[in-house]
Amino acid sequence: MSRILFFLAPITVPRAMISPENQTKNDSDQVLFHCAASAHPLPIIHWRFRNKTVVSGGKYVIDKDHGTLLIKNLDHRETFGDVTCIASNAAGSSVAHGHLSVLRKYLIFLGNCCHYKSCISCFRLKLDWFKVAVSRH
């Protein structure tokens, strides 16, 4: 007589294993956030950025297989703020947070031309200066 044994795994609420990290980037860079959770059944990862649900497309790329959110072409005026990862399944959900700061790029050109005797020389100095964008709630 043969027996068939069944083992039922309990349904568990997702528990965050990898949370999005706080990151600081420069204007026009891109940033990649990671999120992972364990549970049974496997949780689905959703993303929120600045309190809005993120949908893959345009400057946002969501890789559901790897639990990542890529934000391209950062802009200090609009792409900074809180990032939220939500892992959910039939048993419930778990939330993890991170923050994105984007440094504003200022270009400052200083130049001078020197006309001395028969020598004419010019120099030009370029400075890249970044300033942190601060969210205003």
Side-chain angles (χ1 to χ4, degrees), residues 23-29 74-81 99-108 127-136:
Q23 297 191 51
T24 300
K25 297 291 182 177
N26 297 328
D27 264 341
S28 70
D29 283 353
L74 297 176
D75 184 329
H76 70 276
R77 294 167 294 196
E78 60 185 41
T79 48
F80 65 91
H99 186 81
L100 172 62
S101 296
V102 178
L103 301 178
R104 180 177 180 180
K105 185 175 187 177
Y106 293 92
L107 296 178
I108 301 170
L127 297 172
D128 290 338
W129 175 46
F130 294 95
K131 181 179 177 185
V132 176
V134 179
S135 61
R136 294 182 179 103

Side-chain angles (χ1 to χ4, degrees), residues 23 25 30-34 61 68-71:
Q23 297 191 51
K25 297 291 182 177
Q30 62 183 25
V31 64
L32 184 66
F33 288 100
H34 298 273
V61 179
T68 60
L69 168 63
L70 173 69
I71 306 174

Side-chain angles (χ1 to χ4, degrees), residues 37-48:
S38 63
H40 181 79
L42 286 175
I44 296 172
I45 304 292
H46 299 279
W47 291 94
R48 292 183 61 80

Side-chain angles (χ1 to χ4, degrees), residues 58-73:
K59 68 186 326 166
Y60 303 102
V61 179
I62 297 172
D63 183 340
K64 292 185 180 188
D65 295 332
H66 296 99
T68 60
L69 168 63
L70 173 69
I71 306 174
K72 301 183 284 185
N73 196 25

